[in-house]
Each structure stands twice: as structure tokens, then as C-alpha cells.
Amino acid sequence: MTTVNERTIAEGLRRMADEALPVNASAYAARATARSARRRLSWSLAAIATLAAGLGFFFPLDGAQMTAKVAEPPVRELPPNTPEQLRLVRECMPAGGPSVNVNPDRRNPAHGTVRDFRVLAEYRDKNGSSALVGSAKGFVLCTPTKELPEPPVFTYWGNKVPGDVAGFPGKLSVDVYATHYWYRENPPPHDNYVRIVAGRVALDVRRVTIAWSPGERTDAVVSNGFFIARTLTKTVSRKSRNSGEPERFVDTPPVTVTAYDAAGRIAGRNESVGFGWRGPGSLG
């Protein structure tokens, strides 16, 4: 019966996993046996197969070449909705799912239904709230209001099909910069719009700030790797490009988004994010 040192053969098997290339099983076994000079232990094929499976690769028992199989990273689990959050999602998507464009009744089945979406982060202030509501594929923004609610327009994560909630480089991903209308009776002039910025961060990010303009900064709500913030905005008068006559527009200057780790160090920053931004390839 052939005996080998268990620590030596374990090291050999781990090297096979690290190289992640086709290797010769017989050569590794011979090399491990040759270096074995201390305590020896009989290894059955079943024991070797068990260790190999634990290390994440498999090999045939006939001595043929083997290929290391590297385990894929786990899929990021979205937090479950509370009953209140589920009610918010249903109110946000009265047609049963997100909309393709500003028509709330136009839907694409590939974008999912209400049951696929979670409230990922919600920002509340004295004027109401806005929420980042997302699935594994994409997201919508929801701002509850009594009248004229904004349609739940769907955007793929990264603004790219098929969308991947965990698929962004670095520590910070700004996924949307938009405006929403919110209703209240007898509002002061021009204060019934909010600017909203939302996105994703690495799980070790503890704080995100939005610099809306010089001297105006807001701490976002950060929750389980997602963030959202909003601020009141006003309308401004500008000359029309076509007629030259003054027209009123919602004021949407570029913003700067900064993420910080637990020690207060900058973990990521996006500067001059333009209005209409929905990830790579969008406006801004």
C-alpha cells in the first residue's frame, strides 16, 4: 500500500487549486511522495477525493489530467422587505412592476414584478421621503405623493443589460441623479421638486456625502451597501435655445459624491456628476 505524508499532499493539492490550470495528477502525487520523510499515513482514494472537493476542484480516478475548478463568488442577497416596505413597493408600482419609460402602464416582463424588488435605502425629511427600490437586475426611484406620482422607470444596474447588483468596481457606484415632483397643498413658489442621488457602496463604507453645490452638503442614508439622499430644489429662468425667450427649468447643477470608510478616510469619490446620470453611458 502506498503511504504519503498528509501535510505534504495537502500542500500539493492546494498548489493545484492556486494554479487553476490543467495539471498532471500522477506528477503531483509522485512529487509529494518523494518529499515524504516523516510520519506516514495511509490515504484512501475516498479520503483524497474528500479533501480535493473541499478545496474546490475535482479529478478523475483513472490518472488522467485534472482541471482545477474555482468556486464562483456567492450571489449578493438583497434584504427582505418589511410589511411597510412591501406596501411602499406596491404603491410605487401600481401596475405590478416597473415601467419602461414615463408611461407607468408600459411594462417589460424581463424587468420583473413587485415581488422581485426590495426597499434598499430610504431618505426621509420633513417634506416626505424617497426610496431606492431594486432587484438583482435593476432599480427604480420612488417618491410617494398624493398627486402626480413619478412613474417607476426601470434602469439596469450599471445601465447595462443584464444588470448585476454586485457588479461595480471600487468602493462607490453612483447609479442615478434625478429630480422628482412632490405634491403638497399651497406650496411656496417653486419648492415642490427634489433632487435625488442614489447608488451602491462597498460593505465597509460607513458614510456618503453629497455636495449639491458650494456650501450645500447632505449626508446620505447608507443601508446594507446602498445609499440615497435628496434635497429641495427650485426652478430657475434661462433663455430658450430655440426662441431666446426666458423659460423656467428645475435647477440641477452637477454634484460630487464622496464615500468614507469606518476610519473617516475617503474610500471613493465621483466629481461633477451631471443630472440625468444613470450609470455608465448615460448623460452627465
Side-chain angles (χ1 to χ4, degrees):
M1 177 180 294
T2 302
T3 57
V4 295
N5 180 281
E6 59 179 327
R7 179 179 298 176
T8 303
I9 196 166
E11 291 173 354
L13 290 170
R14 288 191 179 93
R15 281 195 301 275
M16 292 162 59
D18 291 340
E19 292 173 4
L21 293 171
V23 295
N24 189 304
S26 300
Y28 263 93
R31 200 183 313 167
T33 303
R35 286 198 302 267
S36 178
R38 291 177 291 180
R39 181 174 59 90
R40 295 176 177 271
L41 178 67
S42 177
W43 282 62
S44 68
L45 290 176
I48 296 175
T50 300
L51 177 59
L55 291 172
F57 61 87
F58 305 91
F59 58 88
L61 299 180
D62 58 1
Q65 285 191 338
M66 64 187 78
T67 302
K69 181 179 179 181
V70 180
E72 295 181 357
V75 177
R76 182 172 178 178
E77 293 290 337
L78 297 178
N81 283 321
T82 65
E84 181 182 355
Q85 289 173 330
L86 180 58
R87 184 165 57 252
L88 188 155
V89 175
R90 292 186 184 280
E91 291 175 355
C92 177
M93 305 179 191
S99 61
V100 174
N101 53 25
V102 293
N103 181 351
D105 296 322
R106 184 183 174 195
R107 296 181 49 226
N108 183 338
H111 296 165
T113 63
V114 165
R115 65 185 180 188
D116 299 311
F117 287 81
R118 308 287 187 271
V119 177
L120 304 176
E122 184 178 12
Y123 190 95
R124 294 179 176 270
D125 56 32
K126 64 181 182 180
N127 299 307
S129 66
S130 295
L132 175 66
V133 177
S135 67
K137 293 181 179 181
F139 66 90
V140 301
L141 287 179
C142 292
T143 299
T145 182
K146 293 180 180 179
E147 294 184 14
L148 301 175
E150 297 285 344
V153 178
F154 180 87
T155 302
Y156 284 103
W157 294 113
N159 201 32
K160 184 179 180 181
V161 180
D164 178 6
V165 67
F168 66 96
K171 301 286 188 177
L172 169 67
S173 174
V174 180
D175 290 297
V176 61
Y177 173 18
T179 61
H180 272 189
Y181 175 85
W182 63 282
Y183 172 82
R184 64 172 174 168
E185 295 180 358
N186 303 317
H190 315 310
D191 73 344
N192 54 347
Y193 288 92
V194 289
R195 290 191 282 160
I196 305 170
V197 173
R200 297 163 288 170
V201 289
L203 293 177
D204 60 347
V205 167
R206 294 293 179 268
R207 182 185 177 213
V208 174
T209 63
I210 318 295
W212 304 100
S213 61
E216 184 185 2
R217 187 183 302 270
T218 299
D219 271 18
V221 170
V222 181
S223 176
N224 297 313
F226 302 92
F227 73 90
I228 187 171
R230 77 178 201 170
T231 188
L232 281 175
T233 190
K234 58 184 182 298
T235 58
V236 295
S237 180
R238 293 199 298 250
K239 287 186 178 181
S240 169
R241 294 180 180 178
N242 297 323
S243 66
E245 297 295 324
E247 295 181 351
R248 298 203 69 84
F249 298 85
V250 178
D251 192 27
T252 53
V255 301
T256 295
V257 184
T258 307
Y260 302 87
D261 63 16
R265 296 183 295 259
I266 294 176
R269 173 175 285 165
N270 283 186
E271 297 181 336
S272 299
V273 178
F275 173 71
W277 176 261
R278 288 182 181 271
S282 63
L283 301 176

